[in-house]
Amino acid sequence: MLKKLNEKDRKRLKRKIHIRKRVSGTPERPRMTVTRSNCNLYVQVIDDTVGKTLASISTLEKEFASLKPTVADAEKLGEAMGKRLIEKNIKTVVFDRNGYLYHGVVKALADGARKAGVEF
């Protein structure tokens, strides 16, 4: 599987596998994972013990369709995700950056969620 990917994607996948060895979501502290593409951002909160997605948000939803994967828009999406989690009484999560480097869009999304009151 790793042979068909370009060098950048191969390195990200290796980082992702390394991170997922240590990061796992529980019912008390689910895993918040970020996926980004050139056009969209996706965030899911997952309980890995049962393999269930507890909450999700993306720029594909109607109310967030105008948002692009930029730092400013990622912070807005993170705040919206934080509000959804607080409504579902999820106050702490473990952050899974999914192999992406923790800067730019990924960092802005995490800061937005923290601003909304989610701890990690």
Side-chain angles (χ1 to χ4, degrees):
M1 181 175 171
L2 292 176
K3 286 185 176 181
K4 292 183 179 180
L5 299 174
N6 64 23
E7 187 68 14
K8 189 175 181 181
D9 290 336
R10 189 182 62 78
K11 284 183 177 182
R12 187 188 74 80
L13 188 61
K14 284 182 76 168
R15 282 192 306 266
K16 176 182 176 175
I17 292 168
H18 187 76
I19 291 167
R20 287 288 289 126
K21 287 178 191 175
R22 294 174 284 148
V23 174
S24 181
T26 63
E28 300 83 31
R29 193 169 177 202
R31 176 172 57 98
M32 180 172 158
T33 184
V34 177
T35 306
R36 66 179 176 87
S37 69
N38 289 337
C39 300
N40 294 301
L41 290 172
Y42 312 89
V43 182
Q44 284 186 317
V45 176
I46 304 163
D47 177 6
D48 288 317
T49 57
V50 292
K52 184 178 176 188
T53 299
L54 305 174
S56 67
I57 195 169
S58 76
T59 54
L60 295 176
E61 296 177 18
K62 278 187 178 180
E63 57 188 288
F64 303 112
S66 63
L67 300 180
K68 300 295 176 200
T70 62
V71 172
D73 289 349
E75 190 168 354
K76 292 176 190 173
L77 194 69
E79 286 181 33
M81 185 62 181
K83 289 175 186 172
R84 285 188 185 182
L85 291 177
I86 297 297
E87 288 172 5
K88 293 188 178 212
N89 291 327
I90 300 172
K91 294 178 178 45
T92 59
V93 297
V94 58
F95 189 70
D96 177 10
R97 58 190 173 92
N98 214 4
Y100 300 112
L101 299 179
Y102 186 78
H103 77 99
V105 172
V106 175
K107 184 177 186 292
L109 198 138
D111 291 341
R114 283 191 187 104
K115 193 183 289 186
V118 179
E119 295 179 15
F120 52 92

